[in-house]
Amino acid sequence: MIARLRSASGCLLLLYVVTHLSNHALALWSLRLADAWLEWLSAVWRWPPVTVLLLTAFLVHLCLALHSLWRRRTWRMSRWEWAQLLLGLSIVPLGMTHVIGTRVAHELHGVHTNHFWVLWPMAVDPWQNARQMALVIAVWVHACIGLHFWWRVKPWYPRVLPGLYAGALLLPALALAGAGVGLGSVLAILDDPQKMQAAVAATRPPSRDEAADLHFLSDLLKAAALGLVIMALAARQVRTLWLRRQQGVNLRYAGGPTVAVPMGLSLLEASRSAGVSHASVCGGRGRCSTCRVQIGGADAQRLPPPSRDEARVLERLRVPPSVRLACQLRPPPGAYDVMLLLPSDAQPADAYRGTSVALGEERTMVIMFVDLRGFTALSEKRLPYDVVFLLNRYFRSVGQAVEQAGGRVDKFIGDGMMALFGLNSPAPTAARQALDAASRIGRALDELNTAMSAEFSSPLRIGIGLHIGPVVVGVLGHGPATGLTAIGDTVNTASRLESLSKDHGAQLLASQAVFDAAGLVPAPGEPHEVALRGRTQTLAVRAVADVASLPLS
Ligand code: FES
C-alpha cells in the first residue's frame, strides 16, 4: 500500500515537473511561445480538481518521506539511497519561495505569473538564480533515482534504458538552456525602461505589503517543514533509546556470524548493521524480492505474518512460508536462523526468478554426520534432567563448531547431527570448511570431556562421516517442520561412513574426494577402501583417529 501510494503520488508530481520543464525548454525558441504554452498548462493545473489532486499528491509524498525517516532504523544506506534522501529533503527549502511567488501569489493577489515574472528575480539576484537551478537538479535527480529503483526490476527496463537516459539528460538540459535564453530576454527588457514598465504592469505585481506577506508565508512553511523533519528524527531517536532497553533479537546467519540486534530493525537493516552483505536491488522497498531469506529457529513461529505488499511478492515467487522478504520483516525478540537465498551481488533479473535453492536445486556439497558413541549406555544410569543437560551442552559445542567453520546444522537426530557445507560456497571451500568443522568438534569435545570429567567416569566419544558429491537441496517438510535440507546418495554415503568409523577405530571416516577437493596434500589419516551397501565399487576413504589434530583453515 505504502509503495503504491509513493509511486502514484510521485508519478503525478513528476508529470507536473515534466510539463514545467518542457515549458521552460520552449523558451529556447521563443519566450512568447513559452508563455502561450504556459497559459494552457496553467488552465489544466489550476483547474480546482487537478489542484486538489496535485496538493494531495504533494502532501502524501511528504508524509511518506517523514514516515520513512521515522521508520528507518539504521543510517547504513547505499550512496544512491543517501542521495535520494538528501535531495528529497532539500526540495521544500529550495522550492517554497518559487511556489509561493507564483501559484500562491496568483491565487491570493491575482499576480499574472508569466515567464517575465518567474525570471525577473533570477535576472537581478544571482542567489535566486543558483537556488532555482539547484531546485531543478534536486527534483529531477530525486525523481530519476526513485524511478530507477522502481523500474530496475522490470524485465523491460534494460531495453528502454538508453531512451530513458537520453530523456533524463535532455529535458533538464533543455529546460535550463531555455531558462538561460529567457533570462537574456528579461535582461534586455530590464535595460529598456519603457518595455520594463509594460512588462511589470502585465504581471500585476503584489503591493509591498502583499509581497511581505508572501515572504512571511514562505518562511513559515519552510520552518514548518524543517520542524516536521526534526520531529521525525527526534521521535526516531526516542524510539531507538526505548528499544535499546527492550529484549533484543538474535540472528544466526547460515555460514556467517551470529549477531544480536535491537528489536524493531528489519532483517535487511540488521544485516547491514552487522556488516553482512545482503542483496537489495530495490533499496529495501519491498519490490524486488532479492533480499529474500529463509528464516527458522526456535522462535520462527512468533514472526508476524507478511503484510499485503510482502505477501503479493512472495506469492509471485511461489516460495514456502519460511521464506520472507528481509526488508519487510521486523522480527520480535527471539532467536532466529537466517539464510540468505540470493548472493549479495544479485541482479535485477533475479527478482523474477524463483528461489532455486528453496524450490529444489542440484549442487555439489559436503555432508557431515556426527554421532555420539555409547550414549545409550551412558544415559541409562542418569536422571532425565542430566541426560538433557549433557546432550544440550554437546549439541551446543558441535553446532557452534559447524557454524564457526562456515557450515549449516541441518538437523539433530537423537544424539546425532547432520550438517551441510557448500550452500553459499564452492566445493573446495566447502571441503575445507567441513574438515575445519571436524577439527573444531574434536577440540570442543576434548574441552567438554575435561569440564565433565568429575561427573562421567568415561569420556564422550564421537564418530564423524564426511562425503562430497551432488545432492538435491531444497525446502522440505510440512508446517513448522519445514526447512532447507539435502537429499541424495551423497547424504546416505556420509551417514554410512559415520557408522563405519567405529569399525576403523577412528573419530573420522571421510571419503578421499573430500581431501582432494580441499587440496589437503598429503592427506591425513590411514587410507582404506570400503564397500558400501548399494554401491558396486568400493570407495576410497581415510580414517583419522584424532580429529582435533586436523589443521584449522
Ligand atoms: S530489497 Fe527489494 S524486496 Fe527487499
Side-chain angles (χ1 to χ4, degrees):
M1 182 67 176
I2 285 184
R4 285 179 187 186
L5 274 178
R6 183 179 288 120
S7 310
S9 57
C11 281
L12 189 65
L13 294 171
L14 181 61
L15 183 64
Y16 178 74
V17 170
V18 167
T19 56
H20 220 66
L21 295 185
S22 64
N23 183 238
H24 278 295
L26 275 184
L28 278 175
W29 284 270
S30 140
L31 206 55
R32 196 171 297 172
L33 181 63
D35 268 336
W37 179 232
L38 183 59
E39 292 291 325
W40 279 95
L41 284 180
S42 299
V44 174
W45 289 115
R46 288 178 183 174
W47 189 44
V50 177
T51 299
V52 170
L53 205 61
L54 193 61
L55 193 61
T56 308
F58 173 73
L59 291 175
V60 165
H61 219 67
L62 183 69
C63 289
L64 290 178
L66 293 171
H67 174 256
S68 87
L69 262 189
W70 142 264
R71 216 166 155 237
R72 188 172 286 286
R73 308 298 165 108
T74 168
W75 294 114
R76 286 187 191 233
M77 296 183 277
S78 69
R79 282 196 302 264
W80 286 112
E81 287 173 83
W82 267 115
Q84 199 194 20
L85 176 69
L86 295 178
L87 291 171
L89 290 177
S90 72
I91 289 172
V92 170
L94 286 174
M96 190 53 77
T97 308
H98 178 66
V99 174
I100 297 292
T102 52
R103 182 66 197 269
V104 177
H106 170 79
E107 297 298 337
L108 294 183
H109 306 301
V111 178
H112 181 50
T113 53
N114 58 11
H115 273 83
F116 177 78
W117 175 256
V118 173
L119 297 173
W120 182 15
M122 293 166 64
V124 296
D125 181 356
W127 159 239
Q128 298 245 27
N129 199 356
R131 190 177 57 189
Q132 206 60 18
M133 302 282 162
L135 173 64
V136 170
I137 293 169
V139 168
W140 195 248
V141 177
H142 173 81
C144 287
I145 295 174
L147 286 180
H148 175 66
F149 275 117
W150 178 17
W151 287 342
R152 68 189 295 208
V153 298
K154 309 284 183 194
W156 47 261
Y157 188 58
R159 284 197 305 278
V160 299
L161 194 56
L164 289 176
Y165 258 137
L169 290 175
L170 214 58
L171 185 60
L174 289 176
L176 290 175
V181 171
L183 277 177
S185 309
V186 170
L187 283 171
I189 293 172
L190 293 179
D191 280 345
D192 185 332
Q194 225 174 349
K195 280 188 183 170
M196 179 176 164
Q197 208 175 10
V200 171
T203 61
R204 301 192 298 273
S207 66
R208 195 179 288 264
D209 284 349
E210 288 170 344
D213 286 348
L214 290 173
H215 276 298
F216 176 74
L217 183 61
S218 167
D219 291 344
L220 188 72
L221 290 177
K222 277 191 257 184
L226 182 65
L228 286 174
V229 172
I230 291 174
M231 272 167 60
L233 292 175
R236 181 185 169 279
Q237 195 55 33
V238 170
R239 186 203 46 211
T240 305
L241 291 175
W242 180 76
L243 287 176
R244 273 202 198 126
R245 302 168 64 133
Q246 306 300 307
Q247 214 188 335
V249 178
N250 292 306
L251 302 171
R252 285 196 315 171
Y253 287 87
T258 297
V259 298
V261 295
M263 188 184 87
L265 262 67
S266 74
L267 257 181
L268 181 63
E269 289 171 329
S271 297
R272 285 173 172 177
S273 66
V276 174
S277 299
H278 202 141
S280 60
V281 165
C282 73
R285 290 166 173 78
R287 289 186 179 131
C288 67
S289 83
T290 54
C291 64
R292 72 193 86 146
V293 294
Q294 198 211 342
I295 187 152
D299 295 311
Q301 279 121 311
R302 297 174 49 207
L303 289 172
S307 65
R308 261 220 328 249
D309 285 346
E310 186 188 355
R312 200 162 33 85
V313 175
L314 294 172
E315 220 173 274
R316 187 186 75 205
L317 296 169
R318 291 183 293 113
V319 288
S322 55
V323 174
R324 299 291 299 269
L325 297 185
C327 66
Q328 303 300 307
L329 177 62
R330 294 177 191 274
Y336 306 94
D337 295 330
V338 182
M339 182 179 174
L340 312 192
L341 293 175
L342 289 180
S344 58
D345 59 351
Q347 298 302 307
D350 294 316
Y352 282 82
R353 274 186 212 129
T355 303
S356 53
V357 170
L359 296 177
E361 182 183 273
E362 187 174 272
R363 56 170 69 183
T364 298
M365 291 178 71
V366 180
I367 307 296
M368 168 187 275
F369 275 87
V370 185
D371 191 48
L372 204 50
R373 299 265 180 261
F375 186 73
T376 313
L378 196 73
S379 60
E380 271 169 7
K381 301 167 197 146
R382 300 264 149 199
L383 291 169
Y385 170 84
D386 291 337
V387 173
V388 169
F389 175 74
L390 176 66
L391 267 183
N392 277 332
R393 277 204 66 171
Y394 159 74
F395 286 152
R396 191 166 66 235
S397 298
V398 292
Q400 280 175 350
V402 166
E403 281 162 5
Q404 281 163 3
R408 175 190 162 93
V409 175
D410 182 85
K411 56 176 83 79
F412 289 103
I413 318 150
D415 55 17
M417 181 198 70
M418 173 178 160
L420 314 175
F421 297 85
L423 276 171
N424 294 313
S425 50
T429 308
R432 283 193 292 277
Q433 288 172 338
L435 291 169
D436 184 28
S439 176
R440 287 175 191 272
I441 289 172
R443 286 158 208 250
L445 191 76
D446 289 347
E447 282 169 22
L448 190 60
N449 278 329
T450 307
M452 312 276 283
S453 57
E455 295 174 48
F456 295 95
S457 51
S458 52
L460 297 175
R461 289 172 296 112
I462 52 163
I464 303 175
L466 275 183
H467 188 47
I468 187 171
V471 294
V472 171
V473 59
V475 175
L476 298 172
H478 174 68
T482 305
L484 191 87
T485 190
I487 51 172
D489 185 56
T490 304
V491 179
N492 302 336
T493 302
S495 171
R496 284 177 197 139
L497 290 181
E498 177 268 303
S499 305
L500 282 175
S501 64
K502 196 173 3 176
D503 302 344
H504 289 78
Q507 279 189 327
L508 169 70
L509 198 62
S511 58
Q512 179 66 45
V514 174
F515 295 102
D516 293 346
L520 214 54
V521 181
E526 293 290 320
H528 296 280
E529 291 285 331
V530 294
L532 295 173
R533 193 158 29 94
R535 275 178 169 262
T536 48
Q537 291 182 336
T538 57
L539 182 72
V541 297
R542 298 191 84 89
V544 178
D546 177 15
V547 282
S549 66
L550 285 170
L552 288 172
S553 64

